[in-house]
Amino acid sequence: MLPGILGTKIGMTHLFTEEGKMVPVTVIQAGPVYVTQIRTQETDGYTAVQVGYGDAKESKLTFPKYGHLKKAGLSKNLRTLREFRTDSTGGLELGQEVKADIFAEGEVITVTATSKGRGFAGGVKRYHFKGQHMTHGYMTHRRPLSNGATGPQRVFKGKRGPGRMGTDRVTQKGLKVVKVDAERNLVLVSGSVAGPNGGFVVINKVAK
């Protein structure tokens, strides 16, 4: 069985449990994905399954990708290709369609996505710097002042300061599958998931 699936974040809503407790959930369009390649220990040195997700224009289809999909027995252009490491590829074959029904309610998962881009941000917004005085004639409130070492006369790598914020690869752990709608390929996940609505996400099962 495939250890994960690709999908698209739709948005957030909430559900009520039988005890009347409200649970915030993130709705994810999980699949369908198609098996495009099966890697084995003998041919590739590791065991994995490559799957494709999302429709793309035929004008965006390159000739190498066309041959790769044709070899898998697929006649449609898939936008994204990703691999899932697995111990066994049994039960999977080229061109096979995998849907959201591989998940079960209550299953623990991780969701990987790209966080929202905030552009160029200052130290106060980016790293929650305290800032300076707001009164008594002080004119530097949020700007970073002198930084860098006196001896080397340069700023060390990794020093926190203003810069590009967001668009980072974020893996949200400890999430649970609240509900699965197999007919519409929807997975409702407890809590929030990084990234904007419509963003690409990768759902992985947690090994027991």
Side-chain angles (χ1 to χ4, degrees), residues 130-203:
K130 183 179 179 180
Q132 303 296 332
H133 304 292
M134 293 293 154
T135 56
H136 297 283
Y138 206 88
M139 299 179 68
T140 302
H141 306 301
R142 298 168 68 96
R143 288 183 298 170
L145 298 181
S146 176
N147 63 354
T150 305
Q153 296 176 340
R154 64 182 176 86
V155 178
F156 291 128
K157 284 186 178 181
K159 183 173 177 61
R160 298 186 303 170
R164 181 190 58 80
M165 182 180 178
T167 62
D168 296 318
R169 184 180 173 89
V170 178
T171 299
Q172 201 82 359
K173 297 181 179 180
L175 301 178
K176 288 186 178 182
V177 177
V178 178
K179 189 176 181 180
V180 178
D181 188 344
E183 294 183 1
R184 296 186 291 174
N185 284 321
L186 298 179
V187 176
L188 276 63
V189 179
S190 62
S192 61
V193 172
N197 295 342
F200 174 75
V201 300
V202 180
I203 307 176

Side-chain angles (χ1 to χ4, degrees), residues 115-128:
S115 62
K116 291 181 180 180
R118 306 296 182 182
F120 191 94
V124 174
K125 180 177 180 179
R126 192 180 183 199
Y127 291 114
H128 308 292

Side-chain angles (χ1 to χ4, degrees), residues 3 46-49 83-87:
Y46 66 99
T47 306
V49 179
E83 280 189 3
F84 289 97
R85 292 288 187 103
T86 179
D87 296 330

Side-chain angles (χ1 to χ4, degrees), residues 31-168:
V33 298
Y34 301 89
V35 178
T36 56
Q37 190 174 8
I38 296 178
R39 298 189 181 274
T40 61
Q41 190 71 32
E42 294 76 17
T43 57
D44 302 285
Y46 66 99
T47 306
V49 179
Q50 185 191 80
V51 296
Y53 169 74
D55 296 328
K57 294 180 179 179
E58 294 296 331
S59 60
K60 300 292 184 180
L61 181 62
T62 62
F63 193 76
K65 191 175 182 181
Y66 167 77
H68 183 68
L69 297 176
K70 184 179 179 181
K71 186 177 180 180
L74 296 169
S75 59
K76 60 188 301 183
N77 183 18
L78 300 174
R79 180 184 300 274
T80 307
L81 301 179
R82 288 289 188 277
E83 280 189 3
F84 289 97
R85 292 288 187 103
T86 179
D87 296 330
S88 174
T89 59
L92 295 172
E93 57 184 13
L94 291 177
Q96 181 178 344
E97 185 182 35
V98 181
K99 298 184 178 181
D101 54 6
I102 62 173
F103 296 99
E105 295 184 7
E107 194 170 8
V108 181
I109 59 172
T110 64
V111 180
T112 303
T114 301
S115 62
K116 291 181 180 180
R118 306 296 182 182
F120 191 94
V124 174
K125 180 177 180 179
R126 192 180 183 199
Y127 291 114
H128 308 292
F129 286 177
K130 183 179 179 180
Q132 303 296 332
H133 304 292
M134 293 293 154
T135 56
H136 297 283
Y138 206 88
M139 299 179 68
T140 302
H141 306 301
R142 298 168 68 96
R143 288 183 298 170
L145 298 181
S146 176
N147 63 354
T150 305
Q153 296 176 340
R154 64 182 176 86
V155 178
F156 291 128
K157 284 186 178 181
K159 183 173 177 61
R160 298 186 303 170
R164 181 190 58 80
M165 182 180 178
T167 62
D168 296 318

